């Protein structure tokens, strides 16, 4: 599918995987609406992408786990850029600990951002895609959504939920020509991985955010007759 002059909303666009996807899409000529909580990250990215690639870039500061903020962010982006063709639900947080050791507020926070936040943003974007009978939604899940592990109860619960939401929505909207995809990366070299203590061994040999962006781009570029339902991306260098 030709991506030039399409419009995409990317959540969590200020850092890591979201930022790399924003760069990859801007390079293809896609106009962008960027969402995150840290204004300085988005301002810097907005300026560099519009200067380098000549695309329209707007940003909205929002905590997606707050439904009012998520809806206001999408409305502001649509006001600026028009109907959204592509939604990248990427914003997410992670922390790990046994079910009993983890602070219940932290456990809840992970579910609120990773699941409810994705739901709120999708719910805000979807009506215009349905109206246009066209669209692509990519949810950044994780291998943690495919198997549980000790200390992962909150993060795994959130990513299992995200995969369930993705597949159900896919079945609801595929006849409206809307493609819904989940990507399930294993560990990626980002701040999230550093802060969660997930980085082991040589950073340069780890999967990079740009690798996930390349997979996202490849799925979007497929003929609009088809879509990737779910795709994993793993490092060739397990340590
Ligand atoms: N890194 C990995 O190993 C890995 C592996 C598999 C899947 N993933 C998934 O990939 C996605 C991106 O992760 P990453 O590693 O790129 O993380 P990251 O480097 O920490 O970036 C996360 C982005 O999300 C934004 N964000 C976080 N909470 C938010 C909220 N409540 N509302 C709006 N924006 C929010 C952050 O900006 P602000 O803090 O400014 O809001 C930041 O821009 C996540 O869903 C993660 O679960 C990561």
């Amino acid at each position: 599918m030709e991506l030039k002059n399409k419009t995409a909303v990317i959540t969590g666009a200020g850092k890591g995987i979201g930022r790399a996807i924003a760069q990859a899409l801007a390079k293809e000529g896609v106009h962008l609406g960027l969402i995150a909580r840290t204004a300085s990250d988005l301002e810097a990215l907005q300026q560099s992408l519009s200067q380098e690639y000549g695309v329209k870039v707007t940003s909205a500061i929002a905590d997606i786990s707050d439904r009012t903020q998520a809806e206001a962010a999408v409305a502001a982006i649509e006001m600026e850029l028009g109907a959204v063709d592509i939604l990248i639900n990427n914003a997410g947080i992670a922390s790990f600990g046994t079910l009993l050791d983890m602070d219940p507020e932290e456990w809840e926070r992970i579910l609120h951002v990773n699941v409810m936040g994705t739901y709120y943003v999708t719910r805000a974007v979807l009506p215009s895609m349905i109206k246009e009978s066209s669209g692509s939604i990519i949810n950044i899940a994780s291998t943690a959504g495919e198997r549980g592990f000790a200390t992962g109860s909150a993060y795994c619960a959130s990513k299992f939920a995200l995969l369930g939401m993705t597949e159900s929505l896919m079945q609801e909207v595929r006849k409206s020509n809307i493609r819904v995809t989940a990507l399930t990366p294993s560990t990626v070299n980002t701040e999230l991985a550093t802060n969660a203590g997930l980085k082991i061994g040589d950073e340069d040999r780890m999967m990079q955010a740009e690798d996930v962006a390349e997979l996202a781009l490849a799925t979007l570029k497929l003929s609009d007759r088809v879509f990737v339902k779910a795709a994993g991306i793993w490092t060739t260098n397990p340590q």
Side-chain angles (χ1 to χ4, degrees), residues 149-179:
F149 53 87
T151 76
S153 61
Y155 189 63
C156 292
S158 75
K159 295 298 184 180
F160 269 75
L162 187 55
L163 287 179
M165 189 190 341
T166 304
E167 190 159 331
S168 300
L169 179 64
M170 177 273 282
Q171 295 290 16
E172 289 176 17
V173 298
R174 59 194 278 224
K175 285 192 183 133
S176 304
N177 197 33
I178 298 167
R179 313 184 301 172

Side-chain angles (χ1 to χ4, degrees), residues 11-19 35-39 41-42 62-65 89-94 109 113-114 140-143 155 159 162 183-193 195 198 206-207 209:
T11 68
K15 299 185 179 78
I17 296 168
R19 187 174 201 279
I35 299 176
R37 292 168 305 172
T38 308
D41 285 348
L42 296 187
D63 178 342
I64 59 159
S65 70
N89 280 314
N90 161 79
I93 56 170
R109 177 84 190 137
V113 176
N114 297 3
I140 307 296
S142 168
T143 45
Y155 189 63
K159 295 298 184 180
L162 187 55
L183 300 187
T184 58
S186 60
T187 306
V188 186
N189 184 15
T190 67
E191 271 184 37
L192 178 148
N195 297 338
L198 296 175
M206 287 176 74
M207 179 159 43

Side-chain angles (χ1 to χ4, degrees), residues 12-104:
K15 299 185 179 78
I17 296 168
R19 187 174 201 279
I21 293 176
Q23 279 164 329
L25 290 183
K27 205 170 171 184
E28 295 290 320
V30 176
H31 306 298
L32 299 174
L34 312 174
I35 299 176
R37 292 168 305 172
T38 308
S40 55
D41 285 348
L42 296 187
E43 281 158 13
L45 186 62
Q46 181 172 352
Q47 201 176 352
S48 80
L49 294 182
S50 51
Q51 267 173 16
E52 193 165 348
Y53 301 111
V55 291
K56 289 184 246 170
V57 188
T58 186
S59 54
I61 308 307
D63 178 342
I64 59 159
S65 70
D66 178 312
R67 180 152 63 96
T68 309
Q69 289 186 36
E71 287 173 355
V74 171
I77 290 169
E78 284 182 337
M79 183 82 86
E80 191 99 6
L81 300 179
V84 176
D85 305 295
I86 298 164
L87 169 61
I88 311 288
N89 280 314
N90 161 79
I93 56 170
S95 63
F96 301 95
T98 66
L99 187 140
L100 283 180
D101 283 346
M102 266 183 86
D103 180 347

